[in-house]
Amino acid sequence: MEFVSGYRDEFLDFAALLFGWFRKFVAERGTVGTSLEGRWRQLEAQIRRLPQDPALWVLHVLPNRSVGISLGQGAEPGPGPGLGAARLLGDEPPLHLQDLSPYVSFVSLEDGEGGEEEGEEDEEGENGEEEGASTEKVEPQEDGEPAPTSRESPQEAKPPGEPEETEQEACGEDGCRDYKVEEEMGPEKRKERGSETAPLHLSCLLLVTDEHGTILGIDLLVDGVQGNVGWGSGTENLASRAYALLCHSMACPMGSGDPRKPRQLTVGDAQLHRELESLVPRLGVKLAKTPMRTWGPRPGFTFASLRARTCHVCHRHSFEVKLTPCPQCSAVLYCGEACLRADWRRCPDDVSHRFWCPRLAAFMERAGELATLPFTYTAEVTSETFNKEAFLASRGLTRGYWTHLSMLIPGPGTPRHPRGSTPSLSLLLSGDPYQLLQGDGPSLMPPVPSDPPRTLFGSWQDYYTWRGLSLDSPMAVLLTYPLTVYYVITHLVPQSFPELNIQNKQSLKIHVVEAGKEFDLVMVFWELLVLLPHVALELQFVGDALPAENDQQHFTLQRDGPEVSVRPNSGVSARLNSGTKEKGGRRDLQIKVSARPYHLLQGPKPDLVIGFNSGFGLKDTWMSSLPRLQSLRVPAFFTESSEYGCVMDHQTMAVATGGGTSPPQPNPFRSPFRLRAADNCMPWYCNAFIFHLIYKPPQGSGARSAPGPAPPAPTPIAPPAPARRRRGEKKAGRGVRRRR
């Protein structure tokens, strides 16, 4: 059994949700052109009996004239499998957005150029031009009608879940009438053609939301065909499509909650509003008297962190079936007895839920401990229903490094750098190392204290007090990375490897392995110079997820002086002004980049190796990198987002090297944001637990390799079948995967 909740891009969960709902909607809508009177009469009767939602619902009509979607052939030669349900919802789903690049990419329809981009870059780049629009408040008038606004719709409220939703423009009074539906997506698997095939064109998007931003339904109107796809004949008009979408959004709301109908509905297109005047009252819903000419959301409006739960076995969403957790461990979600029994009896025995159930129950008992944090917002951000997007938007955390935590597209002029690229030189040399950590409001980071810390910090409370931060500050979400490195250096290495005397060293060389997001947030590591002013640090980010163009680049951050110098062929030296003078001389933070797997890295031996939320079993390169660490025999500490991940890492280490890992311990500097899982209820937090590698002793040597016993293997309820494989054995030709 595999859980990827702490490792999978949130964007992909969002896309899988939209794809799953749209697929169900298309299947249930039936044949194009079916009579409304015959097809929907029974559904209309059911909807009239539904309870009423007091919130206003909005039917958005959003055109797209600029972006086409090119469906690729896939990684293998010949016709590819395409971007089907299994790609997003199957047993081996993609973990990162770039994993979808062989199957879907974007092309410009304006200049006729190819310009194919990977999905995330396209959304950030193309939407960025449209995001600065101002907002207005949507308030009902005295007669219950929404007051029309005079300012244009902000595109930051646009959901980023489907790649087809990029670069859509605000719809005017009759702005979408030219977009008649011509094609309909079918559930059949498409056949692929070469790159010369014309791209699909998403001409219009119909979107149903409530006034709070919850997405309730979606329909895509496509007027281009690529390959032999089962698209519709294009004879259905926009009103019937919109009416069908409204019915399904009420009977099966995508976002959350039980089936319901709105108190009032407003429509974003004048002619569509007129055509729906005779249809919507059939559902017992009041239609606004006038169409929504332009729409500005209420202050603080944001699309919710929409992640509907799924069955762990069949992957059906909560809007399709009722999900319940396992009655014994309460950790795993199932749609019914059939899926629970199938998971309980899986073979071999050590991947079955019967084997893992007691261990998962123990993991669930740690939820309260992990949620014990000193912040004023702890109860909100550690809840299972935590709405991260609303939290970030309400605090103005919509720029700089905070955009890496959100699925919303940043607006124009946002000081940020694209994922996987070196930070802009102008940002590094601006003189403010905390510029990218700021939000839209006042400064979040106070001035650096004039005196270095006199004690070692072992909790967020102690660090916040010394640093002058309020416990209402959300900076812990970003500072979890440098503070975790600080905790390893000052607490864990002295405890586990006292012979290294690491606290008395004046320089440290640290390798950050399998880096990705950590390099995107590279400036947060400046805080290490504040916490360890007596140490010159070198951080080398290593991993094949880093862009190849940044391979072997490096730059130096210095704390005493605003001078800037560029040394050809050796990187950038950036002297940033921290606001204080160092009493013990200058200390530098050197940043180096090696875009390759760790086992291919050449160079001096580091003093320390650190990896964040590693997931050994999810990437085949760990099977070579772990033996490399075994040969170096340097202290290597890793974090994981759950205890489950720690157990799986121990098993992978045993298979790869014959060694193991130390018992994991909660990280006092873990991120306070709970990561909501799709198919389970276990507590997941970024950098939640820490452990170190225990190397296998060299042959003929009795010296200890590292302190601490390896964690015991899970004990099954029933003895395993005699024929099952022993743990540690590996099938030929298969990489190690996360298993339960």
Side-chain angles (χ1 to χ4, degrees):
M1 170 177 163
E2 298 179 356
F3 294 111
V4 296
S5 306
Y7 315 96
R8 177 174 161 92
D9 287 349
E10 187 178 16
F11 182 94
L12 291 177
D13 283 333
F14 192 87
L17 172 61
L18 295 180
F19 180 85
W21 193 93
F22 178 70
R23 182 182 56 175
K24 180 177 184 293
F25 169 52
V26 170
E28 293 183 354
R29 184 172 55 195
T31 307
V32 175
T34 301
S35 169
L36 288 177
E37 295 294 335
R39 178 72 177 171
W40 303 107
R41 187 168 300 171
Q42 184 177 2
L43 183 59
E44 289 170 352
Q46 295 174 357
I47 292 176
R48 283 195 294 269
R49 295 192 294 267
L50 292 177
Q52 191 176 79
D53 187 345
L56 171 72
W57 283 24
V58 183
L59 174 59
H60 308 265
V61 188
L62 305 172
N64 166 54
R65 300 179 178 89
S66 305
V67 177
I69 301 99
S70 177
L71 302 178
Q73 289 184 308
E76 284 117 19
L83 185 63
R87 291 287 161 186
L88 291 174
L89 307 170
D91 292 327
E92 295 187 4
L95 299 180
H96 306 290
L97 188 59
Q98 57 264 32
D99 296 339
L100 298 182
S101 57
Y103 308 101
V104 60
S105 57
F106 303 101
V107 295
S108 173
L109 300 178
E110 289 186 327
D111 52 15
E113 298 178 358
E116 294 193 7
E117 299 179 358
E118 187 270 327
E120 185 177 34
E121 295 175 0
D122 181 89
E123 284 194 279
E124 292 178 357
E126 305 223 13
N127 280 280
E129 300 178 4
E130 303 174 5
E131 294 243 341
S134 55
T135 62
E136 289 283 345
K137 192 173 183 178
V138 174
E139 295 287 359
Q141 296 176 347
E142 294 182 0
D143 59 355
E145 305 298 334
T149 61
S150 59
R151 306 175 79 172
E152 294 191 0
S153 171
Q155 295 302 308
E156 65 183 3
K158 186 172 48 186
E162 286 281 358
E164 294 91 340
E165 295 172 36
T166 60
E167 194 158 334
Q168 290 154 3
E169 302 169 3
C171 185
E173 200 171 320
D174 290 326
C176 299
R177 301 311 305 170
D178 294 333
Y179 296 95
K180 301 294 184 181
V181 57
E182 295 182 8
E183 310 294 342
E184 178 182 354
M185 180 178 291
E188 302 91 350
K189 188 177 292 185
R190 60 179 172 77
K191 295 181 181 179
E192 298 293 343
R193 289 187 180 178
S195 59
E196 73 278 0
T197 309
L200 300 175
H201 176 215
L202 174 68
S203 61
C204 197
L205 168 71
L206 298 177
L207 183 69
V208 180
T209 72
D210 65 13
E211 61 185 275
H212 306 296
T214 302
I215 302 177
L216 303 167
I218 186 174
D219 194 5
L220 311 175
L221 281 64
V222 181
D223 62 13
V225 179
Q226 179 181 23
N228 264 335
V229 192
W231 303 94
S233 61
T235 59
E236 191 179 14
N237 61 39
L238 188 61
S240 61
R241 289 284 290 255
Y243 185 73
L245 175 63
L246 289 170
C247 289
H248 279 272
S249 300
M250 298 176 198
C252 182
M254 180 196 307
S256 61
D258 296 326
R260 60 196 185 276
K261 61 184 179 182
R263 168 187 60 84
Q264 187 178 12
L265 173 72
T266 183
V267 182
D269 179 80
Q271 184 174 340
L272 181 59
H273 179 274
R274 290 191 294 269
E275 295 178 5
L276 290 176
E277 283 180 338
S278 61
L279 298 175
V280 172
R282 298 180 183 181
L283 306 174
V285 175
K286 181 180 180 181
L287 185 65
K289 292 182 179 180
T290 57
M292 179 185 63
R293 298 178 183 275
T294 58
W295 181 65
R298 296 187 176 192
F301 173 92
T302 179
F303 283 106
S305 301
L306 198 61
R307 188 179 299 176
R309 298 297 183 91
T310 62
C311 173
H312 176 68
V313 175
C314 68
H315 310 294
R316 287 190 291 176
H317 284 93
S318 55
F319 55 74
E320 301 175 88
V321 293
K322 183 179 180 180
L323 300 175
T324 55
C326 168
Q328 296 189 26
C329 66
S330 301
V332 188
L333 295 172
Y334 301 100
C335 65
E337 287 293 329
C339 284
L340 174 58
R341 286 196 300 268
D343 199 29
W344 188 267
R345 299 170 180 173
R346 286 179 65 185
C347 293
D349 186 74
D350 60 354
V351 301
S352 68
H353 186 67
R354 175 178 57 185
F355 184 90
W356 276 91
C357 192
R359 176 60 65 92
L360 297 181
F363 297 164
M364 292 293 292
E365 294 177 357
R366 302 292 290 270
E369 178 184 358
L370 293 174
T372 302
L373 294 165
F375 308 111
T376 59
Y377 49 81
T378 295
E380 177 184 359
V381 301
T382 59
S383 168
E384 281 195 73
T385 59
F386 170 45
N387 186 347
K388 182 178 64 176
E389 301 296 337
F391 180 89
L392 295 174
S394 66
R395 292 171 175 257
L397 305 177
T398 57
R399 58 190 291 265
Y401 280 164
W402 297 102
T403 60
H404 290 278
L405 303 177
S406 172
M407 293 189 298
L408 295 182
I409 306 302
T414 301
R416 62 165 299 177
H417 61 279
R419 169 171 170 76
S421 64
T422 303
S424 169
L425 182 62
S426 63
L427 294 177
L428 292 178
L429 307 183
S430 64
D432 181 8
Y434 302 109
Q435 178 180 353
L436 291 172
L437 281 65
Q438 298 303 119
D440 292 332
S443 176
L444 295 176
M445 289 297 291
V448 176
S450 57
D451 294 323
R454 300 181 182 274
T455 60
L456 300 179
F457 305 126
S459 68
W460 281 121
Q461 177 116 28
D462 295 340
Y463 166 74
Y464 264 49
T465 300
W466 173 79
R467 197 61 174 82
L469 286 164
S470 164
L471 290 178
D472 191 55
S473 171
M475 288 302 302
V477 182
L478 296 178
L479 293 176
T480 176
Y481 295 101
L483 267 295
T484 296
V485 176
Y486 166 83
Y487 183 69
V488 169
I489 294 173
T490 58
H491 288 74
L492 299 186
V493 174
Q495 292 173 9
S496 301
F497 303 93
E499 65 275 10
L500 298 180
N501 198 23
I502 195 171
Q503 289 180 310
N504 293 328
K505 291 191 174 184
Q506 295 186 351
S507 64
L508 286 175
K509 183 189 297 290
I510 302 174
H511 286 176
V512 182
V513 296
E514 291 300 333
K517 180 184 296 185
E518 303 81 39
F519 181 63
D520 293 340
L521 308 176
V522 64
M523 287 302 293
V524 302
F525 291 96
W526 171 271
E527 191 69 7
L528 286 172
L529 289 185
V530 177
L531 292 165
L532 302 171
H534 62 286
V535 181
L537 294 170
E538 178 185 303
L539 295 182
Q540 185 164 358
F541 294 85
V542 186
D544 55 3
L546 298 172
E549 60 269 21
N550 290 337
D551 190 29
Q552 301 305 312
Q553 291 186 358
H554 71 270
F555 50 92
T556 303
L557 310 180
Q558 299 172 344
R559 288 197 61 185
D560 60 341
E563 299 85 2
V564 177
S565 63
V566 179
R567 299 193 300 270
N569 303 321
S570 62
V572 175
S573 176
R575 294 191 176 99
L576 301 183
N577 186 2
S578 67
T580 61
K581 276 286 187 180
E582 290 306 312
K583 298 181 179 179
R586 187 177 71 193
R587 291 294 181 263
D588 301 339
L589 173 61
Q590 296 188 47
I591 305 294
K592 295 186 177 181
V593 185
S594 296
R596 63 196 67 187
Y598 190 73
H599 63 277
L600 299 179
L601 178 68
Q602 301 295 325
K605 182 178 177 179
D607 299 297
L608 180 65
V609 171
I610 290 180
F612 297 100
N613 306 300
S614 306
F616 291 168
L618 290 175
K619 196 170 184 180
D620 290 339
T621 54
W622 281 112
M623 296 303 294
S624 300
S625 296
L626 290 174
R628 171 65 173 163
L629 289 170
Q630 167 88 18
S631 65
L632 293 176
R633 308 188 75 81
V634 296
F637 286 80
F638 296 89
T639 69
E640 277 292 0
S641 51
S642 71
E643 277 189 287
Y644 170 81
C646 297
V647 173
M648 302 313 301
D649 288 349
H650 171 74
Q651 294 184 3
T652 306
M653 179 66 179
V655 171
T657 69
T661 62
S662 66
Q665 56 178 292
N667 178 11
F669 294 106
R670 61 190 173 273
S671 169
F673 280 12
R674 180 166 181 163
L675 307 175
R676 191 180 182 198
D679 61 349
N680 66 89
C681 304
M682 287 186 288
W684 301 77
Y685 294 85
C686 180
N687 299 326
F689 292 90
I690 306 181
F691 63 87
H692 68 263
L693 299 185
I694 297 179
Y695 300 121
K696 182 180 179 180
Q699 292 185 356
S701 171
R704 73 176 180 94
S705 56
T715 303
I717 296 177
R724 74 177 180 90
R725 295 195 314 275
R726 292 181 303 169
R727 180 163 307 176
E729 292 183 347
K730 176 184 172 187
K731 283 189 176 181
R734 292 183 59 185
V736 173
R737 294 285 296 173
R738 260 179 203 281
R739 302 188 312 168
R740 185 184 64 175

